[in-house]
PDB file of all heavy atoms in Angstrom:
ATOM      1  N   PRO B  74       9.899 -11.331  25.231  1.00  0.00           N
ATOM      2  CA  PRO B  74       9.948 -11.506  26.682  1.00  0.00           C
ATOM      3  C   PRO B  74      10.955 -10.563  27.328  1.00  0.00           C
ATOM      4  O   PRO B  74      12.029 -10.983  27.775  1.00  0.00           O
ATOM      5  CB  PRO B  74      10.353 -12.969  26.850  1.00  0.00           C
ATOM      6  CG  PRO B  74      11.075 -13.319  25.591  1.00  0.00           C
ATOM      7  CD  PRO B  74      10.612 -12.389  24.525  1.00  0.00           C
ATOM      8  N   GLU B  75      10.611  -9.286  27.351  1.00  0.00           N
ATOM      9  CA  GLU B  75      11.494  -8.286  27.937  1.00  0.00           C
ATOM     10  C   GLU B  75      10.757  -7.547  29.031  1.00  0.00           C
ATOM     11  O   GLU B  75       9.545  -7.662  29.173  1.00  0.00           O
ATOM     12  CB  GLU B  75      11.935  -7.271  26.877  1.00  0.00           C
ATOM     13  CG  GLU B  75      12.493  -7.901  25.600  1.00  0.00           C
ATOM     14  CD  GLU B  75      12.697  -6.855  24.514  1.00  0.00           C
ATOM     15  OE1 GLU B  75      12.246  -5.699  24.705  1.00  0.00           O
ATOM     16  OE2 GLU B  75      13.300  -7.189  23.485  1.00  0.00           O
ATOM     17  N   VAL B  76      11.522  -6.757  29.776  1.00  0.00           N
ATOM     18  CA  VAL B  76      10.901  -5.842  30.729  1.00  0.00           C
ATOM     19  C   VAL B  76      11.465  -4.461  30.470  1.00  0.00           C
ATOM     20  O   VAL B  76      12.682  -4.285  30.524  1.00  0.00           O
ATOM     21  CB  VAL B  76      11.179  -6.241  32.189  1.00  0.00           C
ATOM     22  CG1 VAL B  76      10.537  -5.208  33.131  1.00  0.00           C
ATOM     23  CG2 VAL B  76      10.632  -7.626  32.485  1.00  0.00           C
ATOM     24  N   PRO B  77      10.602  -3.465  30.139  1.00  0.00           N
ATOM     25  CA  PRO B  77       9.146  -3.594  29.987  1.00  0.00           C
ATOM     26  C   PRO B  77       8.770  -4.394  28.745  1.00  0.00           C
ATOM     27  O   PRO B  77       9.572  -4.465  27.808  1.00  0.00           O
ATOM     28  CB  PRO B  77       8.697  -2.136  29.857  1.00  0.00           C
ATOM     29  CG  PRO B  77       9.865  -1.408  29.306  1.00  0.00           C
ATOM     30  CD  PRO B  77      11.078  -2.110  29.836  1.00  0.00           C
ATOM     31  N   PRO B  78       7.567  -4.951  28.731  1.00  0.00           N
ATOM     32  CA  PRO B  78       7.136  -5.812  27.628  1.00  0.00           C
ATOM     33  C   PRO B  78       7.109  -5.107  26.275  1.00  0.00           C
ATOM     34  O   PRO B  78       6.893  -3.898  26.190  1.00  0.00           O
ATOM     35  CB  PRO B  78       5.724  -6.234  28.032  1.00  0.00           C
ATOM     36  CG  PRO B  78       5.302  -5.279  29.079  1.00  0.00           C
ATOM     37  CD  PRO B  78       6.536  -4.810  29.754  1.00  0.00           C
ATOM     38  N   ARG B  79       7.388  -5.881  25.232  1.00  0.00           N
ATOM     39  CA  ARG B  79       7.303  -5.348  23.871  1.00  0.00           C
ATOM     40  C   ARG B  79       6.471  -6.317  23.059  1.00  0.00           C
ATOM     41  O   ARG B  79       6.704  -7.522  23.086  1.00  0.00           O
ATOM     42  CB  ARG B  79       8.694  -5.206  23.266  1.00  0.00           C
ATOM     43  CG  ARG B  79       8.698  -4.679  21.857  1.00  0.00           C
ATOM     44  CD  ARG B  79      10.026  -3.997  21.505  1.00  0.00           C
ATOM     45  NE  ARG B  79      11.148  -4.925  21.549  1.00  0.00           N
ATOM     46  CZ  ARG B  79      11.742  -5.406  20.461  1.00  0.00           C
ATOM     47  NH1 ARG B  79      11.324  -5.050  19.275  1.00  0.00           N
ATOM     48  NH2 ARG B  79      12.751  -6.234  20.573  1.00  0.00           N
ATOM     49  N   VAL B  80       5.467  -5.779  22.367  1.00  0.00           N
ATOM     50  CA  VAL B  80       4.599  -6.604  21.535  1.00  0.00           C
ATOM     51  C   VAL B  80       4.488  -5.948  20.175  1.00  0.00           C
ATOM     52  O   VAL B  80       4.215  -4.757  20.080  1.00  0.00           O
ATOM     53  CB  VAL B  80       3.192  -6.749  22.152  1.00  0.00           C
ATOM     54  CG1 VAL B  80       2.310  -7.624  21.282  1.00  0.00           C
ATOM     55  CG2 VAL B  80       3.296  -7.320  23.557  1.00  0.00           C
ATOM     56  N   GLU B  81       4.740  -6.730  19.140  1.00  0.00           N
ATOM     57  CA  GLU B  81       4.678  -6.185  17.787  1.00  0.00           C
ATOM     58  C   GLU B  81       3.595  -6.845  16.953  1.00  0.00           C
ATOM     59  O   GLU B  81       3.411  -8.061  17.009  1.00  0.00           O
ATOM     60  CB  GLU B  81       6.041  -6.357  17.097  1.00  0.00           C
ATOM     61  CG  GLU B  81       7.099  -5.425  17.661  1.00  0.00           C
ATOM     62  CD  GLU B  81       8.417  -5.557  16.922  1.00  0.00           C
ATOM     63  OE1 GLU B  81       8.558  -6.488  16.100  1.00  0.00           O
ATOM     64  OE2 GLU B  81       9.300  -4.723  17.158  1.00  0.00           O
ATOM     65  N   TYR B  82       2.931  -6.018  16.167  1.00  0.00           N
ATOM     66  CA  TYR B  82       1.868  -6.510  15.302  1.00  0.00           C
ATOM     67  C   TYR B  82       2.233  -6.295  13.846  1.00  0.00           C
ATOM     68  O   TYR B  82       2.797  -5.267  13.480  1.00  0.00           O
ATOM     69  CB  TYR B  82       0.563  -5.783  15.604  1.00  0.00           C
ATOM     70  CG  TYR B  82       0.020  -6.100  16.973  1.00  0.00           C
ATOM     71  CD1 TYR B  82       0.360  -5.317  18.070  1.00  0.00           C
ATOM     72  CD2 TYR B  82      -0.816  -7.186  17.166  1.00  0.00           C
ATOM     73  CE1 TYR B  82      -0.140  -5.612  19.339  1.00  0.00           C
ATOM     74  CE2 TYR B  82      -1.302  -7.491  18.418  1.00  0.00           C
ATOM     75  CZ  TYR B  82      -0.974  -6.704  19.505  1.00  0.00           C
ATOM     76  OH  TYR B  82      -1.448  -7.004  20.738  1.00  0.00           O
ATOM     77  N   SER B  83       1.901  -7.285  13.018  1.00  0.00           N
ATOM     78  CA  SER B  83       2.145  -7.152  11.590  1.00  0.00           C
ATOM     79  C   SER B  83       1.088  -7.935  10.830  1.00  0.00           C
ATOM     80  O   SER B  83       0.469  -8.856  11.363  1.00  0.00           O
ATOM     81  CB  SER B  83       3.527  -7.688  11.246  1.00  0.00           C
ATOM     82  OG  SER B  83       3.652  -9.016  11.692  1.00  0.00           O
ATOM     83  N   VAL B  84       0.879  -7.549   9.577  1.00  0.00           N
ATOM     84  CA  VAL B  84      -0.099  -8.241   8.742  1.00  0.00           C
ATOM     85  C   VAL B  84       0.519  -9.532   8.228  1.00  0.00           C
ATOM     86  O   VAL B  84       1.673  -9.555   7.797  1.00  0.00           O
ATOM     87  CB  VAL B  84      -0.519  -7.364   7.556  1.00  0.00           C
ATOM     88  CG1 VAL B  84      -1.492  -8.110   6.652  1.00  0.00           C
ATOM     89  CG2 VAL B  84      -1.143  -6.067   8.045  1.00  0.00           C
ATOM     90  N   THR B  85      -0.221 -10.605   8.291  1.00  0.00           N
ATOM     91  CA  THR B  85       0.270 -11.881   7.749  1.00  0.00           C
ATOM     92  C   THR B  85       0.250 -11.850   6.224  1.00  0.00           C
ATOM     93  O   THR B  85      -0.438 -11.032   5.621  1.00  0.00           O
ATOM     94  CB  THR B  85      -0.630 -13.048   8.199  1.00  0.00           C
ATOM     95  OG1 THR B  85      -1.956 -12.805   7.717  1.00  0.00           O
ATOM     96  CG2 THR B  85      -0.666 -13.172   9.705  1.00  0.00           C
ATOM     97  N   GLU B  86       1.015 -12.735   5.624  1.00  0.00           N
ATOM     98  CA  GLU B  86       0.989 -12.860   4.170  1.00  0.00           C
ATOM     99  C   GLU B  86      -0.449 -13.045   3.726  1.00  0.00           C
ATOM    100  O   GLU B  86      -0.922 -12.437   2.766  1.00  0.00           O
ATOM    101  CB  GLU B  86       1.825 -14.081   3.730  1.00  0.00           C
ATOM    102  CG  GLU B  86       3.178 -13.727   3.178  1.00  0.00           C
ATOM    103  CD  GLU B  86       3.112 -12.551   2.216  1.00  0.00           C
ATOM    104  OE1 GLU B  86       2.585 -12.671   1.100  1.00  0.00           O
ATOM    105  OE2 GLU B  86       3.608 -11.473   2.614  1.00  0.00           O
TER     106      GLU B  86
END
Side-chain angles (χ1 to χ4, degrees):
Chain B
E75 309 171 351
V76 178
R79 179 156 63 105
V80 181
E81 288 183 351
Y82 293 91
S83 56
V84 177
T85 60
E86 257 316 290

